[in-house]
Amino acid sequence: MAEQGFLKQKPGFATLAIHHAQEPEKWSSSAVVVPIVTSTTFKQPAPAEHTGFEYGRSGNPTRNVLEECLAALEGGKHGFTFASGLGTTTTLLGLLKSGDHIISGDDVYGGTNRLFRTVAAAMNIETTFADFTKPDEVDKAVKENTKMVWLETPTNPNLKIADIATVVKAVKSHGEHILVVVDNTFLTSYLQRPLDFGADVVIYSLTKYMNGHSDVIMGAAILNNDELAERLRFLQNAMGVVPSPFDCYQVNRSLKTLALRMEQHKKSAQIIAEWLEKHPNVTEVMHPGLKSHPQHELAKKQMTGHSGVFSFKHSGGLQESRKFLQSLKVFTLAESLGGYESLAELPSVMTHASVPAAQRAELGITDSLIRLSVGLEDTEDLIKDLDHAFNVSF
Ligand code: P1T
């Protein structure tokens, strides 16, 4: 059922999450729950012959199930998992070489910004940061040597929305070979499927909503192109940034409740965002589900709804932010997002502290911008918590 004018949810999501690639018949025990295969190596019938698995870095039965399930949920052909979200980005950098150029969204996770500005730069891979809400700016940033375009939508922490199809069109007009990568961490495949809009690769910090229980660090990349998949399969093994079978089991289990969790995150965050919008100490709420969001109409065209993460600005400064965050009792003051527990943080000194001060100022990542990750607690309790924190801080 389409809600509030957003895209209609594709049918079968929850069924895929529970059954895809996990037929009990694939295990000799007919186990209904995917086994955790911890073996690092697999017996071979003859030298250089194997029965599907040889060494745990190049492939593992538990990991394969998760990768296949992730690909199915994304409507993609190939799925790959990595030891973290940033490990995914690092491995994708392996597709590039010295002298290549990346265009990245200006408002991205601080760690992604840092990776491009420091590690990629040391490999002589240059990055231009551009505002993807303005496709013209992206178009102008493309150079002869541009090989990869990297966007988050919605962005972290300003929740800006880029029109994926328009960005893809602008980029591909300069050459089909330029890869468009979308970091879909804030929404998950339940709320947005960038491959449907022409993106080449979707990446995740699975650490967030996809796992949803704040107990695993992991990342993933999902794509359709067979040749690119072969290159990534090579890099996954050759660079070795792989997750553990136990962590793969945890994420695979968490996918079973993804649809239910996202529905609740979506509902609760929308109520809280509307409540904040009316609060006298709040000057701006950045939530794509609000009519006041500058790209609300665009959000409805490419998303099936918004998740539980969003930001707001208040009328105070650093002192009020500190007091507010330290007064919260149900929300926990911590980095990260997407878990069942509600979190609140101050991006200017926490998740985005590694972004140069001038770039932070340009993006409006000020000391009065607070980011919330609305969890699965009772919405009323969360509102009471915020209300109390405002009352004692302002
Ligand atoms: O933490 P890791 O699994 O390596 O994922 C990095 C990452 C990638 N992309 C996005 C959009 C992210 O938000 C993150 C990690 N972000 C946080 C820890 C945070 O609090 O924003």
Side-chain angles (χ1 to χ4, degrees):
M1 185 177 62
E3 280 176 66
Q4 299 169 313
F6 278 95
L7 273 183
K8 194 170 181 298
Q9 188 67 51
K10 288 213 164 100
F13 188 95
T15 309
L16 278 178
I18 293 169
H19 294 296
H20 187 83
Q22 16 229 313
E23 305 73 28
E25 291 72 25
K26 92 196 283 176
W27 316 106
S28 58
S29 62
S30 290
V32 171
V33 174
V34 173
I36 308 171
V37 179
T38 55
S39 185
T40 54
T41 193
F42 300 86
K43 183 177 174 183
Q44 306 193 5
E49 270 180 37
H50 62 80
T51 52
F53 297 96
E54 45 189 332
Y55 184 61
R57 173 163 30 76
S58 54
N60 166 282
T62 315
R63 188 176 97 200
N64 279 19
V65 168
L66 171 63
E67 292 180 338
E68 284 179 44
C69 193
L70 287 169
L73 295 182
E74 203 65 44
K77 210 165 155 192
H78 308 281
F80 299 94
T81 52
F82 302 92
S84 66
L86 278 183
T88 309
T89 312
T90 301
T91 308
L92 283 173
L93 284 178
L95 294 169
L96 308 186
K97 60 178 189 326
S98 170
D100 285 348
H101 175 239
I102 300 171
I103 304 172
S104 166
D106 54 0
D107 191 46
V108 290
Y109 168 55
T112 307
N113 174 300
R114 180 178 55 197
L115 184 71
F116 289 157
R117 274 186 307 100
T118 59
V119 181
M123 293 157 73
N124 194 34
I125 297 168
E126 185 207 357
T127 304
T128 302
F129 293 93
D131 183 353
F132 282 93
T133 62
K134 300 176 186 141
D136 273 9
E137 209 176 286
V138 184
D139 194 48
K140 281 195 210 114
V142 178
K143 301 205 274 190
E144 246 338 65
N145 56 344
T146 304
K147 294 288 164 58
M148 194 179 272
V149 168
W150 191 278
L151 63 135
E152 282 180 14
T153 178
T155 62
N156 184 358
N158 277 305
L159 285 293
K160 294 195 286 187
I161 309 275
D163 185 331
I164 302 170
T166 303
V167 170
V168 168
K169 205 166 150 223
V171 170
K172 298 287 179 177
S173 72
H174 294 269
E176 279 295 324
H177 66 283
I178 307 174
L179 293 178
V180 177
V181 183
V182 177
D183 182 336
N184 204 31
T185 297
F186 269 27
L187 292 182
T188 80
S189 32
Y190 185 71
L191 296 175
Q192 177 172 269
R193 305 218 309 194
L195 297 179
D196 293 353
F197 299 98
D200 296 296
V201 184
V202 175
I203 76 116
Y204 284 105
S205 167
L206 297 175
T207 314
K208 311 298 176 336
Y209 287 109
M210 298 290 263
N211 182 55
H213 293 70
S214 305
D215 53 6
V216 172
I217 299 272
M218 204 192 292
I222 296 123
L223 57 151
N224 279 321
N225 184 288
D226 295 339
E227 194 252 335
L228 189 60
E230 271 321 299
R231 289 173 68 199
L232 209 53
R233 196 179 312 284
F234 169 80
L235 291 174
Q236 185 190 40
N237 183 45
M239 293 173 80
V241 190
V242 294
S244 79
F246 180 73
D247 284 353
C248 291
Y249 166 80
Q250 298 259 72
V251 177
N252 187 54
R253 183 176 70 165
S254 298
L255 291 179
K256 310 301 172 251
T257 54
L258 182 64
L260 294 172
R261 287 187 283 109
M262 295 318 289
E263 281 300 329
Q264 182 58 30
H265 285 297
K266 180 173 86 176
K267 202 167 96 189
S268 195
Q270 179 77 28
I271 294 170
I272 293 171
E274 285 171 15
W275 178 83
L276 280 169
E277 213 172 25
K278 291 190 210 109
H279 197 281
N281 295 121
V282 172
T283 55
E284 188 183 349
V285 182
M286 295 105 136
H287 183 298
L290 293 176
K291 289 197 176 70
S292 59
H293 188 284
Q295 290 123 1
H296 177 63
E297 291 306 317
L298 171 59
K300 290 196 288 189
K301 277 195 224 149
Q302 66 183 18
M303 296 154 56
T304 57
H306 184 63
S307 65
V309 63
F310 67 96
S311 303
F312 69 91
K313 282 184 175 165
H314 57 71
S315 52
L318 181 61
Q319 206 180 326
E320 284 75 15
S321 282
R322 291 178 69 87
K323 183 90 177 96
F324 178 87
L325 290 165
Q326 288 176 294
S327 308
L328 293 167
K329 293 191 169 67
V330 185
F331 279 87
T332 301
L333 169 55
E335 299 196 1
S336 204
L337 59 110
Y340 54 74
E341 77 294 355
S342 290
L343 302 178
E345 66 118 4
L346 192 57
S348 61
V349 296
M350 294 171 70
T351 51
H352 292 69
S354 63
V355 176
Q359 199 180 359
R360 274 204 313 270
E362 211 175 289
L363 292 168
I365 305 174
T366 66
D367 292 335
S368 50
L369 183 143
I370 288 177
R371 194 187 73 187
L372 300 179
S373 173
V374 172
L376 304 176
E377 301 93 338
D378 295 296
T379 313
E380 270 310 300
D381 291 337
L382 295 172
I383 289 179
K384 266 189 228 156
D385 196 34
L386 294 169
D387 195 33
H388 170 260
F390 274 120
N391 289 340
V392 297
S393 320
F394 284 82

